[in-house]
Amino acid sequence: MKFDLNGMWLTLNRFCNFRCPWCYAESTNYNKNNDMPLQLAKDIIKLGANLGIKEVMLIGGEPTYYPNLFEVLDCISEHGMMSTLVTNGYRFSEPHFLKKIEESKLDSIGFSLKGGTAEQYAESTKVKDSYGKTKRAIKNLSTLEKIRVGYSVVLSTENLENLEEIAGLVASDPTNWLLLSFCCPTISNEAEVITEHMPTQLEVIQTIVDKLPALKRILNDQFIIEQAFPSCLWPKDILDDLIQSNKIRFGCHVQGRSGLIFDEKGKLIVCNSLPNFKIGQFGKDFTTVDEFNRLWDSEDINNLYKKFREYPVKKCVDCADNKNCSGGCPLHWLTYDAKKVLA
Amino acid sequence: MTVAVKKLNNLLDSRKLSGEILNSCPSRREMTNATSKSGDGYSICAGQCRCCNSIGGRCNCSSC
């Protein structure tokens, strides 16, 4: 089978200055000693380029604290790939760091927002001045010309009610876009399903529906919803409108089998919500393209990925909307009973 | 099968879903590379199949 891998996530470190309670990185203890060795990062980037991957997303922890960030950006550029830095944005409040980024080979920034108010920011991140620094960073980034900047927020129980305030933060520059993504369960090493900060499917949909007119107005229509639920849970008229205006996305790289995630040790994981389930390791299970392809096309891995593409219930098979619906995030069904939700 | 893959299989099996697997378009390489305007880095899954217009790495066209 031919697989089109078009993106790769590299976990450069585990340290972060924020302590957001819903973050998948929480279980890694934010250890400062858990940086990806520079040579390992370069070797994986080279493998990715040889696999035809076009875009590398740098994640953490907080990758702006990775000491070899600029060497990694050079390496990505040398291999003709695009780079995106997924960050909490805090360091862009520092003029010195901003200047270095501006002069680097970075292509785009994915700025992850944590809330909409000073109180909410302080409470979620456990950093007193995080809101002020975030506002300053957004202002600073509006001056960048070569680097594309996008804003995102993971909708959690902490920030769901503050969507307008979050939109207001982004809208301080009218060219900014906001991506709304949904909180997913995280699975611990003991296979415990953690959903502590995850609003229910219906809470998320109802909140978005209620706040949609305000979001459209504040953001001047510049937002995208990366939704993780079955289409049929949305009110049809709202969903049709969002599809028509290209404001909603379905599916993920796991279901499309189009992305690779490497942790800081070079272990290959399926999804960031499954940080403890490695399906292979660079340098041990594969180093070359041929070795990787043998693993990627092995019976075990093929069967595993099939399970991520399982229809939640039988009626989905014949549903007219299934081309727009991925059946929702495959991990949501660890929390919800598909037969009840989609009865 | 490694221990981690086995554990992951067991975890996914515990969902008790339909058993029906979504079709995968063999021409997935034809998916458009829909990089997000927002530059979020999470948009690689948002491609649209050129043969059946399905979104998100899924394909339902008869040729698949």
Side-chain angles (χ1 to χ4, degrees):
Chain A
M1 186 184 270
K2 163 75 182 167
F3 299 105
D4 185 18
L5 292 166
N6 52 17
M8 180 165 88
W9 284 262
L10 270 192
T11 311
L12 293 181
N13 61 358
R14 290 299 187 187
F15 171 73
C16 184
N17 54 327
F18 285 5
R19 291 290 181 272
C20 309
W22 59 83
C23 182
Y24 61 79
E26 202 192 11
S27 63
T28 63
N29 296 323
Y30 310 101
N31 194 331
K32 272 188 175 173
N33 299 320
N34 275 353
D35 287 353
M36 179 179 270
L38 178 59
Q39 192 56 51
L40 177 61
K42 286 181 171 179
D43 290 344
I44 294 176
I45 290 165
K46 186 178 170 191
L47 172 69
N50 290 335
L51 287 168
I53 287 173
K54 301 173 190 77
E55 187 175 7
V56 183
M57 274 67 71
L58 302 174
I59 57 175
E62 174 47 47
T64 55
Y65 288 101
Y66 180 65
N68 302 114
L69 175 63
F70 296 97
E71 287 92 330
V72 167
L73 291 174
D74 286 345
C75 180
I76 294 169
S77 173
E78 281 160 18
H79 283 94
M81 301 153 94
M82 305 284 282
S83 56
T84 295
L85 185 64
V86 182
T87 171
N88 63 32
Y90 187 88
R91 293 205 69 193
F92 294 106
S93 61
E94 303 166 12
H96 173 69
F97 185 76
L98 187 76
K99 190 167 184 291
K100 278 178 81 176
I101 281 287
E102 202 166 10
E103 291 165 358
S104 77
K105 300 282 175 59
L106 180 64
D107 294 295
S108 70
I109 294 168
F111 193 133
S112 174
L113 298 166
K114 311 301 176 191
T117 64
E119 297 72 29
Q120 198 173 58
Y121 246 90
E123 199 181 318
S124 293
T125 65
K126 312 289 182 290
V127 176
K128 259 187 183 173
D129 63 345
S130 55
Y131 181 73
K133 290 280 177 71
T134 297
K135 278 180 81 170
R136 190 175 306 162
I138 293 172
K139 196 176 173 193
N140 287 347
L141 286 172
S142 68
T143 64
L144 292 188
E145 288 179 1
K146 286 186 298 181
I147 301 172
R148 199 178 50 174
V149 184
Y151 295 86
S152 66
V153 62
V154 177
L155 299 178
S156 67
T157 47
E158 280 81 0
N159 60 31
L160 188 61
E161 285 306 317
N162 292 83
L163 264 181
E164 291 104 323
E165 287 88 348
I166 295 166
L169 254 183
V170 173
S172 58
D173 178 340
T175 63
N176 287 342
W177 279 75
L178 177 64
L179 177 94
L180 306 173
S181 62
F182 295 3
C183 210
C184 292
T186 300
I187 318 303
S188 76
N189 198 22
E190 293 77 33
E192 184 195 354
V193 181
I194 303 160
T195 59
E196 207 182 331
H197 304 278
M198 204 172 90
T200 67
Q201 294 176 326
L202 295 180
E203 276 169 356
V204 174
I205 290 175
Q206 193 55 54
T207 305
I208 290 179
V209 168
D210 290 346
K211 295 179 186 287
L212 205 51
L215 280 179
K216 286 182 173 184
R217 179 176 43 79
I218 298 167
L219 290 162
N220 196 23
D221 267 352
Q222 299 194 141
F223 66 93
I224 294 174
I225 300 166
E226 194 168 66
Q227 75 97 40
F229 307 146
S231 303
C232 56
L233 296 188
W234 289 80
K236 192 167 178 352
D237 55 335
I238 299 282
L239 188 70
D240 287 347
D241 176 48
L242 290 168
I243 291 173
Q244 204 80 43
S245 53
N246 206 17
K247 297 226 169 313
I248 194 160
R249 293 196 196 132
F250 303 87
C252 74
H253 73 92
V254 179
Q255 294 160 322
R257 216 173 156 177
S258 59
L260 301 177
I261 305 177
F262 288 93
D263 78 2
E264 77 282 3
K265 293 184 175 65
K267 292 176 183 172
L268 182 62
I269 56 173
V270 176
C271 167
N272 274 323
S273 289
L274 297 163
N276 302 301
F277 297 88
K278 72 152 189 174
I279 59 171
Q281 182 163 8
F282 183 89
K284 187 178 165 205
D285 301 309
F286 57 88
T287 303
T288 65
V289 168
D290 285 345
E291 288 165 353
F292 173 82
N293 282 337
R294 265 198 294 281
L295 172 78
W296 197 239
D297 206 14
S298 66
E299 196 182 345
D300 285 350
I301 301 300
N302 281 331
N303 286 337
L304 178 69
Y305 269 87
K306 268 186 191 168
K307 291 186 183 181
F308 284 103
R309 298 200 310 276
E310 195 174 339
Y311 281 108
V313 292
K314 296 237 185 225
K315 75 170 186 180
C316 298
V317 179
D318 299 316
C319 174
D321 275 340
N322 70 6
K323 74 171 186 176
N324 278 332
C325 171
S326 56
C329 167
L331 299 182
H332 272 245
W333 304 118
L334 292 166
T335 309
Y336 296 104
D337 182 341
K339 290 184 188 73
K340 281 185 187 160
V341 172
L342 302 172
Chain B
M1 189 184 293
T2 66
V3 175
V5 172
K6 198 172 178 181
K7 273 168 81 175
L8 198 45
N9 269 303
N10 291 340
L11 187 74
L12 295 173
D13 287 342
S14 73
R15 299 173 304 168
K16 299 195 179 2
L17 301 186
S18 68
E20 301 278 351
I21 307 298
L22 282 153
N23 286 330
S24 301
C25 179
S27 62
R28 209 162 21 211
R29 57 198 161 82
E30 293 295 323
M31 302 290 280
T32 54
N33 186 16
T35 302
S36 160
K37 283 180 186 172
S38 60
D40 52 83
Y42 289 95
S43 56
I44 53 165
C45 52
Q48 191 160 21
C49 179
R50 289 200 176 107
C51 61
C52 71
N53 289 331
S54 66
I55 296 170
R58 298 294 171 72
C59 187
N60 299 288
C61 62
S62 55
S63 64
C64 301

